[in-house]
Amino acid sequence: MTGAGDEPFIAAVKPLVDAMGGEILPPDEAGPEDVVLSWAGADVVAVRLPQLADSLDHILAAMERRKGRPLADLDRKAKQEVVRILEARGAFSVRHGVETVASALGVSRFTVYNYLNRDKNA
């Protein structure tokens, strides 16, 4: 059970958990795949990480919020930048990652591959 003194710790990790698309749980509700965080020798909170595909959707939504508009409305240069960022974050190692990103950007899979190859050849 968390105590009142644990609230600052939970408040400190919450933005990170939210950014990953995770979920905060009481430590006694943690499953085998969850990560239990301890502070000062006591289990304070458990974090349930998202599935990789869900995480990609979460990352795309966060990028849209940051850009202030749908990713499909960005110009070509901005879309190329999004693809570079997503590649650095491992988005294309997720099954159907290219298709998911292409759909969010409003481009074809072929275009996403061109953006990826352009960076490698530059």
Side-chain angles (χ1 to χ4, degrees):
M1 185 72 183
T2 61
D6 299 329
E7 293 301 322
F9 178 78
I10 295 170
V13 299
K14 187 172 182 346
L16 177 62
V17 173
D18 290 346
M20 295 183 315
E23 179 183 355
I24 292 178
L25 307 165
D28 59 345
E29 293 181 20
E33 301 297 318
D34 298 331
V35 179
V36 177
L37 302 177
S38 299
W39 185 255
D43 293 344
V44 177
V45 68
V47 177
R48 180 158 296 153
L49 300 173
Q51 298 296 315
L52 285 175
D54 295 338
S55 186
L56 179 55
D57 290 338
H58 191 79
I59 291 167
L60 288 167
M63 291 184 90
E64 277 195 348
R65 283 192 303 275
R66 240 179 279 132
K67 299 287 186 185
R69 58 184 162 168
L71 297 177
D73 292 348
L74 300 175
D75 63 25
R76 184 174 55 88
K77 185 175 179 176
K79 288 179 182 182
Q80 289 171 335
E81 177 189 347
V82 166
V83 168
R84 279 193 301 275
I85 292 167
L86 291 171
E87 181 180 30
R89 294 188 71 179
F92 302 111
S93 63
V94 175
R95 185 171 184 211
H96 302 296
V98 171
E99 292 87 347
T100 301
V101 170
S103 177
L105 293 175
V107 300
S108 69
R109 289 183 359 225
F110 181 75
T111 299
V112 172
Y113 284 119
N114 279 340
Y115 292 168
L116 290 167
N117 289 332
R118 182 172 322 205
D119 286 342
K120 287 179 178 50
N121 294 329

